[in-house]
Amino acid sequence: RETNHVLAKTQLFLLFMSFSLAVEALHSFMQDESEHKHYLIVSAVTNLLVNLLGVWFFRSYARVNIVYRKAEDMNHHSICLHVLADSVRSAGLILASWFLSLGIENAEVLCLGIVSVAVFMLVMPLFKATGNVLLQIAPGNVPPSAFIKCGRQITACEDVSEVSQARFWELVPGHAVGCLSIRLKNSSDDESVLEYVHGLYEDLGIHDLTIQTEK
């Protein structure tokens, strides 16, 4: 869970970076700051080369949408998108400098605007996935009616008197967990009920299920 908080902070940073680039573009448009500075090109090219090396190192995660098999995958994907977003920003500065050298007006505004939109689009899928994990949103690949059906099937068991506090969420995207409380009748067989309940939810893809039993 601590990893998820770190990821959320990273995504917020990238989102704020995209917004700051948009504000910077607006500021440049209002102030007409279009002076060409050669040191910016050198800095941007150096930064771009270093970032491209980082993207190559995490090349297996260099996609906007990815299927996470474990929590480390989300962490590595976040790092890759961070480096990729910085690469896009450096490329935008290089392109703006080149356009300014050609005498194109408001080139900086145009390039920074494009970069801010690109960074925003890069970050949003991972930001939404991280938010769903932190908010413990129900798995999107399982329809709510399926959970309701399982609850009714459990309640219909002769050894079960009540099912309550059922909660299901994604620990990481693609890995769903859950918990619920079951009140059993005094003469019930706990092991058979637990085996039956686990089997129902495993069919839905809930492989980590915590069950509290009461009598």
Side-chain angles (χ1 to χ4, degrees):
R1 190 168 179 83
E2 181 180 354
T3 302
N4 292 332
H5 282 288
V6 174
L7 289 173
K9 291 178 181 178
T10 302
Q11 303 317 307
L12 282 173
F13 168 76
L14 292 176
L15 284 176
F16 283 130
M17 186 174 77
S18 70
F19 289 129
S20 68
L21 288 172
V23 173
E24 186 177 344
L26 180 61
H27 177 74
S28 298
F29 177 76
M30 296 176 63
Q31 298 296 327
D32 192 24
E33 297 178 355
S34 58
E35 182 181 355
H36 178 62
K37 299 179 180 179
H38 292 282
Y39 73 89
L40 286 178
I41 298 181
V42 176
S43 176
V45 170
T46 303
N47 192 39
L48 178 61
L49 293 176
V50 173
N51 285 329
L52 289 178
L53 180 63
V55 172
W56 179 85
F57 185 78
F58 289 97
R59 59 190 180 277
S60 59
Y61 299 94
R63 299 189 300 275
V64 176
N65 293 298
I66 189 172
V67 177
Y68 305 109
R69 303 296 182 185
K70 49 187 178 180
E72 288 78 7
D73 289 341
M74 180 180 280
N75 192 16
H76 292 159
H77 189 209
S78 177
I79 294 172
C80 182
L81 289 184
H82 191 162
V83 176
L84 188 60
D86 200 27
S87 301
V88 172
R89 182 176 183 273
S90 299
L93 289 175
I94 296 171
L95 188 62
S97 299
W98 181 57
F99 283 160
L100 288 173
S101 67
L102 297 177
I104 300 176
E105 295 183 357
N106 296 324
E108 184 181 4
V109 177
L110 176 63
C111 291
L112 286 176
I114 294 174
V115 168
S116 65
V117 172
V119 172
F120 185 82
M121 293 178 66
L122 279 174
V123 172
M124 275 308 297
L126 182 58
F127 181 77
K128 291 173 63 177
T130 306
N132 289 340
V133 171
L134 291 176
L135 295 175
Q136 295 186 347
I137 302 298
N141 59 337
V142 181
S145 59
F147 289 119
I148 296 175
K149 181 180 178 181
C150 282
R152 290 175 178 173
Q153 288 177 305
I154 297 171
T155 305
C157 293
E158 59 180 10
D159 292 332
V160 177
S161 59
E162 183 183 3
V163 178
S164 61
Q165 300 178 1
R167 287 273 297 145
F168 304 94
W169 67 96
E170 288 184 313
L171 188 60
V172 295
H175 183 78
V177 299
C179 62
L180 72 160
S181 177
I182 300 177
R183 183 178 296 277
L184 301 174
K185 297 178 181 178
N186 293 330
S187 59
S188 62
D189 182 1
D190 295 14
E191 293 297 327
S192 62
V193 172
L194 292 176
E195 183 178 353
Y196 175 70
V197 173
H198 276 289
L200 286 176
Y201 286 105
E202 282 182 1
D203 293 338
L204 298 181
I206 312 295
H207 297 288
D208 292 332
L209 181 64
T210 302
I211 304 174
Q212 179 182 354
T213 58
E214 301 176 359
K215 288 188 178 182

